[in-house]
Amino acid sequence: MKGAPLRVYAILYLLFLYAPIALLPLFAFNDATIIAFPLAGFTTHWFTDLAANTALRQAVGNSLFIAAMTAIFATLLGLCAARAGAMARFPGKGGIIGFVMLPLVLPEIIVAVSLLIMLRQVLGLNLNNWTVISAHVLICTPFSIAILNGAFQNLDPSIEGAAMDLGESRFSAFRLVTLPLVMPGIVSSMLIAFTISLDEFIIAFFLTGANPTMPVYIWGLLRFPAQLPVVMALGTILVALSIALLVIAEFFRRRGLARAGIKDQGGFL
Amino acid sequence: MGLGHFTKSEGGRAALLLAPPFLYALALLALPLLAVLLFSFWTQDFMTIDTSFTLANYREFFDKPIYGVLLGRSLMVSGIVTLVTVLLAYPVAYFLSFHVRSERKSLWLFLITIPFWTSYLIRVFLWKVILGYNGVINSGLIGAGLIEEPLSFILYNVNAVIITLAHAFAPFAILPIFVALEKIDRSLIEASRDLGETRVTTFLRVTLPLSMPGLVATVLIVFIPTIGDYVTPELMGGAGGKLIANMIQTQFLQLNNAPMGAAIAIVAMISVTAIALVFVALNRRWLRGRG
């Protein structure tokens, strides 16, 4: 068959991609403190340890709050930019959009140190959840724009024009006609921003206050070997959760494409 | 003249809509970057910042060999990671674009992206489990009787950092190359075959040059961010595998010397940008030379 060696290679490559996370559940249910082979036996007590850990619960709570706020604000800014992107040109528009997309190709440590200097040294603010949120909104907005661009470009602009001809105001035409059509894009943008923020460590480590985020807390745990199985249990839950979120995001994206009457072209980016 | 004037034309309304994200990026990206530049010309005087203009931080950077060594190692690691990632990913993207039926493509892309939406820290740590002294590879090879002693060259050095980063950036390489390959007009390839080129020369003379925009995007998307990662070198690199981002992090968070950290960040950013620009220029020239 044509392309058979390539298919074998692609499958091997997928195995390479999945190798690390395939180990997670193995060690999460393994009855030994040391993360190594051979496996010792089945246990669920790492999960009960996890549930009993109040510091971790607090870190997860912080991260969920930060991720939710980031998802909302990044999607709002993304909506503005994507909507403007689908409208008439004006001088400097391309440059401005390029500038807003810049965090996509900037090393994260540069974003981290520049915000640390700005917020801490120049403005003299205390670091807290909102300092992390402000940075996460900055890095998630380009992803929201990319996703929402797709949603707006699939849209026929004459539909909104028709609503206005029939007597709706500009705002109500947007709310009643455009918004429902791009809603799947909004949902998937929020889910992607939520997932990115929940997992982001490099910037959060610089900007987190007295209450660490979940990745910052995990970073601390990685130095204590006795805590590692608990980290594995947590990782297993996170993997299951993010797969669930992604499946939902993908479902909404496809439904959006189906509503706009477009043939599916592929993944998120 | 007021808001009303703006909202009359569609271009004006677009500008108004674009204002919030633009102002946000201005306040939280452009101004902070300027602040970093400014700080790099100041010095840390114990607990306070001495705001007299000086090149002392930059002089220290070029006088003390440690900084140059770290920057050189960082650029080398990023370069190798980029090369490895692109070489490993290109065949997968090619397979996806040319050999997978179109209704199955999004499933493949989905499968490729899923592992990367899970905790980065935990993924890096799991590579330690795979490559470690009692790790999966060593116990597997010993169990199979292929080696007597665990291999030690695969953890706590630059190799381990490269393997882990090449894994972490895989989807960022596959997706842009795939998109570029999808855009190629298939009749060009048929024409090349009809005109007597073999499959290999068709690939080299038609497919590869036409997929170049995706390759260039990939190189930039992988090369630039890998410079900014301090997690992987910290966990995988051991003493000899630390990179420039570790030094920036240390200056800011442990040594409390923000101006020196700022100067290192500026030098690192300029080096990365310069290399990226040279790469893009060389690539343009190569493509023009062929066309």
Side-chain angles (χ1 to χ4, degrees), chain B:
Chain B
M1 235 181 89
L3 227 55
H5 173 79
F6 253 121
T7 52
K8 273 193 198 101
S9 76
E10 200 190 319
R13 270 184 289 122
L16 217 56
L17 268 173
L18 205 48
F22 174 64
L23 291 177
Y24 193 83
L26 204 63
L28 283 127
L29 185 65
L31 289 182
L33 285 176
L34 277 178
V36 172
L37 189 64
L38 200 61
F39 262 65
S40 72
F41 295 115
W42 292 347
T43 42
Q44 186 80 32
D45 187 12
F46 191 49
M47 290 301 281
T48 55
I49 304 265
D50 179 356
T51 57
S52 44
F53 181 92
T54 167
L55 288 172
N57 295 321
Y58 291 98
R59 219 171 290 127
E60 182 176 336
F61 187 99
F62 293 105
D63 282 351
K64 288 208 181 137
I66 175 77
Y67 300 114
V69 168
L70 286 178
L71 182 60
R73 191 188 288 151
S74 267
L75 294 174
M76 184 198 76
V77 166
S78 293
I80 296 175
V81 166
T82 310
L83 190 71
V84 170
T85 312
V86 169
L87 286 180
L88 288 177
Y90 197 98
V92 178
Y94 185 88
F95 168 74
L96 271 182
S97 182
F98 286 89
H99 294 294
V100 174
R101 275 182 290 134
S102 55
E103 66 271 19
R104 301 284 294 278
K105 281 179 182 170
S106 53
L107 176 70
W108 271 89
L109 289 175
F110 197 53
L111 283 175
I112 287 167
T113 35
I114 275 188
F116 299 93
W117 294 106
T118 61
S119 173
Y120 178 59
L121 284 179
I122 293 179
R123 253 185 294 139
V124 175
F125 175 76
L126 286 165
W127 274 108
K128 219 161 134 171
V129 174
I130 295 176
L131 301 174
Y133 198 74
N134 299 317
V136 178
I137 289 185
N138 276 328
S139 42
L141 289 177
I142 291 174
L146 288 172
I147 53 171
E148 302 275 310
E149 287 283 299
L151 307 171
S152 59
F153 65 87
I154 49 178
L155 187 63
Y156 297 129
N157 55 34
V158 174
N159 299 337
V161 176
I162 291 171
I163 295 173
T164 311
L165 285 173
H167 178 266
F169 281 92
F172 298 100
I174 294 177
L175 293 176
I177 298 175
F178 169 75
V179 170
L181 287 172
E182 284 288 279
K183 283 187 186 146
I184 296 177
D185 186 349
R186 298 302 194 257
S187 57
L188 291 174
I189 292 164
E190 271 169 45
S192 159
R193 295 299 301 278
D194 288 347
L195 292 170
E197 298 282 358
T198 66
R199 208 178 279 176
V200 175
T201 52
T202 299
F203 174 77
L204 290 177
R205 300 183 62 178
V206 181
T207 317
L208 186 62
L210 285 174
S211 65
M212 214 33 107
L215 266 179
V216 173
T218 303
V219 167
L220 299 183
I221 290 175
V222 178
F223 183 75
I224 298 175
T226 44
I227 292 282
D229 184 14
Y230 58 84
V231 171
T232 302
E234 181 76 35
L235 288 177
M236 308 294 289
K242 293 280 192 296
L243 303 180
I244 195 75
N246 298 97
M247 182 51 98
I248 299 176
Q249 193 247 20
T250 308
Q251 292 288 348
F252 271 96
L253 300 183
Q254 271 122 57
L255 300 178
N256 195 22
N257 189 348
M260 188 64 215
I264 302 172
I266 294 283
V267 177
M269 210 163 59
I270 290 173
S271 325
V272 173
T273 314
I275 292 175
L277 289 178
V278 167
F279 173 76
V280 171
L282 282 178
N283 187 267
R284 280 227 179 110
R285 210 154 125 198
W286 181 74
L287 282 181
R288 210 179 305 131
R290 301 175 54 91

